[in-house]
Structure formats: structure tokens, C-alpha cells
Amino acid sequence: MWRSQGPPIGIPVPRREALRWMGGVAAAAMIDGCAPLSIALRLYPEPDHQVADGVMRAFVEAVIPGAARDDPNLVRAFFDPFYPFTRYRSWFVWDLDRRARRLFGRPYPELDLERRTRVIQDGLSSGDGTAARVYDGAIFLGQVAFYAGIYDDDRGCPLIHFEGASGLLPLEQQTYPAPGRFLAEAATADGNPP
């Protein structure tokens, strides 16, 4: 008889029942809406760096219109161990590609911008809270890394007209020549109230 929960602690479980229970867990992880199990049990293939790079570049290009796919820093944040997203990158790459193949029959990087956007929308609205949070995190990290220029302070971001650290105005254009003239006059000669 199938149990919906694991066996009670301390009671020996026949091998056949244990295998059936573990098979049920693995089957549940492979179902479309079970991202937490597939992530926790690592039930997805590990893509090589070149494939992951291509998928992530196509993804960032979809969430940031106007981003150049050949920008060397475009997807650097997704591979940076400083950010916690790197733990989910392989699953995310696999999930994007899996959804693209299911919806359109082609790998994710080969889709046009509209179809890549629909794949992302499918991930965000999949009904699986974990998948939606991973997709949200990927979008947020991609946008922050791109617009903030976290890997190149001097370059800035032309899409939002930020010239970067080297493009700041000279000090004489950032301040007034005699800023004291904007201060209020003292009520008494020594500046203390009467």
C-alpha cells in the first residue's frame, strides 16, 4: 500500500516499499511544477560553460532590450560566486531550455525576442513559487548588473544616459562659487538666539 508520507521512524521498511517511495519522490521531482525537488535533488543536467553562457546571454537580452549580446560583462554576475544565484544557474539554464523546447520546439538561444519573452513569462507564471522566485531573481540580478555597471565603473550605462565615474561633471560645475550666500542671516551678532 502506498503511503503519502514517509515511514514512521523506528519501524523497519521493506525494501520494495522504500524503493516505491523513493521512486515516487523522483517522479514528483520530474513533474513540471516541482522545482524545489528538482533543485534540491539536482535532477537536471549540468550544462557546460559555453551552453550556459549562450542561454544566459539570450535571457539578459530578453529582459534588457538594447543590451548587446557580445558585451563581455553581460552575464558575468550569473557566474560570479559572490552572488547566491550561482547555486541555481544550472537549473535555470536547464529550465529555460526545457520550457523553450516544450513551447516552441527549439533551444532557448535560437528563439526570437518575442518567444524568449514568452518562455520567461511561462516560468514566472508556472504556479510553482520556487520557479517564479528563481526567475524573478535572475531578472533582478541581470538588470542590476547591467544598469549599475557593477563590473565597470568607468563605462557607465548608455541606455540610461549614465556616463560612469569618468563622465562626472567637474567640481566647479557641481557646486556654487559662494555657497554661504544661500545660508540664512544670523539673528544676532554672535549667531546665538537672544
Side-chain angles (χ1 to χ4, degrees):
M1 174 180 247
W2 175 257
R3 295 180 192 187
S4 61
Q5 299 174 348
I9 297 178
I11 297 176
V13 179
R15 180 175 180 227
R16 183 172 289 178
E17 188 173 338
L19 289 174
R20 188 178 313 142
W21 186 78
M22 287 188 288
V25 169
M30 295 308 285
I31 294 174
D32 229 8
C34 199
L37 280 175
S38 63
I39 291 171
L41 299 175
R42 295 189 174 269
L43 297 174
Y44 51 87
E46 182 74 30
D48 67 2
H49 183 76
Q50 186 175 5
V51 170
D53 185 72
V55 170
M56 293 310 299
R57 285 182 181 280
F59 168 77
V60 172
E61 191 179 44
V63 297
I64 303 174
R69 194 180 278 203
D70 60 346
D71 180 353
N73 293 321
L74 187 64
V75 295
R76 186 172 166 188
F78 295 104
F79 294 88
D80 191 337
F82 177 76
Y83 300 107
F85 186 82
T86 56
R87 293 188 304 245
Y88 307 104
R89 183 192 62 242
S90 295
W91 177 85
F92 184 69
V93 166
W94 170 77
D95 194 63
L96 274 174
D97 201 54
R98 178 184 62 86
R99 288 178 194 276
R101 290 174 192 271
R102 182 185 46 128
L103 294 171
F104 303 109
R106 301 181 68 195
Y108 185 75
E110 294 179 9
L111 299 177
D112 62 7
L113 181 61
E114 179 186 338
R115 290 184 174 155
R116 281 184 276 144
T117 303
R118 286 181 45 202
V119 169
I120 295 167
Q121 289 170 339
D122 184 63
L124 287 168
S125 63
S126 66
D128 181 355
T130 302
R133 282 193 299 273
V134 172
Y135 274 75
D136 275 338
I139 291 168
F140 182 71
L141 179 61
Q143 291 174 340
V144 166
F146 184 80
Y147 290 121
I150 59 176
Y151 294 107
D152 190 359
D153 294 334
D154 290 333
R155 188 186 69 130
C157 183
L159 285 178
I160 59 172
H161 305 291
F162 173 61
E163 288 80 22
S166 62
L168 294 177
L169 297 172
L171 187 60
E172 59 272 1
Q173 291 181 6
Q174 296 180 39
T175 61
Y176 292 101
R181 69 182 179 183
F182 297 106
L183 299 174
E185 300 236 1
T188 61
D190 63 358
N192 294 321

